[in-house]
C-alpha cells in the first residue's frame, strides 16, 4: 500500500509528466516542421522537456526546500539517463516499426514518454526529495 505522500508524489509526477509531454511534443513538432530533422528535433525537445520536469518536480512534486542549482540539474539529468535512453530508443524503435508513427511522430513520442516515466519517477524521487 502506498503512503499518502507517495500517492501524492506519483499523482503530481504524472501531472508534471503529462504537461512535459506537451512541451516535448511542441518543441519537437515545431523544429521538425521547420526542417531541423528528426534526430536534432528530438534531442532539443527532450532537453526542453527534462528542464521543464526538473523545475516542476523539484518545486511541485517533491517540494524541495533547498535552492535550485546547476549541479542539482546535472545530477537530475544524469540520474535520468536510463529513463532518457528508454524514452529515446523507444521513440526510434516505434518510428522504425510503425508506418502510422512515421506519419504522425507524436504517437511515437507518447509511447516513448510512457516507457521512461516509471524509471524517471524512481530516480527523481531519490534526487529531489527533501
Amino acid at each position: 500500500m502506498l503512503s499518502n505522500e507517495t500517492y501524492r508524489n506519483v499523482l503530481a509526477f504524472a501531472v508534471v509528466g503529462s504537461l512535459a509531454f506537451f512541451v516535448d511534443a511542441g518543441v519537437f513538432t515545431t523544429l521538425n516542421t521547420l526542417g531541423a530533422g528528426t534526430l536534432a528535433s528530438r534531442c532539443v525537445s527532450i532537453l526542453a522537456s527534462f528542464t521543464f520536469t526538473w523545475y516542476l518536480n523539484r518545486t511541485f512534486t517533491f517540494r524541495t526546500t533547498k535552492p535550485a542549482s546547476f549541479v542539482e540539474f546535472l545530477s537530475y539529468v544524469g540520474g535520468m539517463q536510463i529513463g532518457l535512453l528508454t524514452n529515446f530508443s523507444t521513440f526510434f524503435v516505434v518510428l522504425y516499426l510503425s508506418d502510422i508513427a512515421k506519419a504522425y511522430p507524436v504517437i511515437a513520442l507518447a509511447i516513448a514518454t510512457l516507457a521512461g516515466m516509471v524509471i524517471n519517477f524512481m530516480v527523481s524521487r531519490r534526487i529531489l526529495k527533501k
Side-chain angles (χ1 to χ4, degrees), residues 11-61:
L11 184 60
F13 191 83
V15 169
V16 169
S18 297
L19 294 172
F21 169 77
F22 291 106
V23 170
D24 198 350
V27 171
F28 173 80
T29 301
T30 300
L31 293 175
N32 203 37
T33 301
L34 293 174
T38 304
L39 181 60
S41 299
R42 189 66 179 117
C43 288
V44 173
S45 73
I46 208 163
L47 179 60
S49 175
F50 268 43
T51 304
F52 180 84
T53 60
W54 166 70
Y55 183 76
L56 285 184
N57 279 328
R58 77 175 317 280
T59 57
F60 175 65
T61 304

